[in-house]
């Protein structure tokens, strides 16, 4: 490996501290918004949708910046993100099937 390629490789591996500080500040802001949902006593679907949105945003920033997924190859990102996605799909299928099973039990076993 030539010295210029080695320097580019070494430079490519360093991540500027400013990115970490900006994301840390953004996580603080998102956490504040999450606490404000409780402070203003929001109820119902609005409350849970806001909490889930803030939670997913924070998890995405943490995974992409602090777990360095933003700088990884697509294959590595897919290896990490596909299994939880598959589990969520299976949970959604089980939830949709649960209503059918529950109604069948009521109908036939009364």
């Amino acid at each position: 490996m030539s010295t210029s390629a080695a320097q580019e490789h070494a430079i490519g591996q360093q991540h500027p501290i400013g990115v970490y500080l900006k994301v840390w500040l953004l996580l603080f802001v998102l956490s504040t918004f999450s606490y404000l949902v409780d402070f203003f006593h929001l109820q119902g679907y609005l409350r849970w949708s806001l909490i889930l949105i803030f939670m997913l945003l924070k998890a995405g920033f943490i995974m992409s910046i602090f777990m360095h997924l933003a700088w990884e190859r697509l294959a590595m990102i897919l290896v990490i993100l596909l299994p939880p996605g598959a589990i969520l799909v299976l949970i959604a299928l089980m939830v949709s099937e649960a209503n059918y099973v529950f109604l069948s039990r009521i109908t036939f076993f009364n």
Side-chain angles (χ1 to χ4, degrees):
M1 182 182 297
S2 69
T3 56
S4 64
Q7 289 175 346
E8 289 178 6
H9 181 72
I11 291 172
Q13 293 297 318
Q14 296 175 357
H15 306 140
I17 192 73
V19 172
Y20 292 102
L21 292 175
K22 289 174 187 172
V23 170
W24 178 79
L25 184 64
L26 189 59
L27 289 173
F28 180 76
V29 170
L30 288 173
S31 295
T32 303
F33 287 158
S34 181
Y35 289 121
L36 286 177
V37 169
D38 282 334
F39 181 77
F40 288 116
H41 302 289
L42 297 177
Q43 298 294 323
Y45 289 119
L46 178 65
R47 172 195 169 107
W48 292 110
S49 62
L50 285 175
I51 288 174
L52 286 175
I53 287 170
F54 293 141
M55 179 186 70
L56 290 175
L57 282 173
K58 289 191 295 185
F61 281 122
I62 289 169
M63 287 178 64
S64 66
I65 301 300
F66 293 109
M67 293 176 69
H68 300 204
L69 285 183
W71 297 284
E72 290 292 335
R73 293 179 298 168
L74 181 62
M76 181 63 99
I77 294 171
L78 292 178
V79 164
I80 294 172
L81 293 181
L82 279 182
I87 289 173
L88 288 176
V89 168
L90 291 175
I91 288 173
L93 290 173
M94 286 188 290
V95 167
S96 68
E97 186 72 20
N99 287 335
Y100 172 74
V101 170
F102 180 70
L103 292 176
S104 297
R105 286 182 180 172
I106 289 175
T107 302
F108 294 110
F109 297 115
N110 202 2

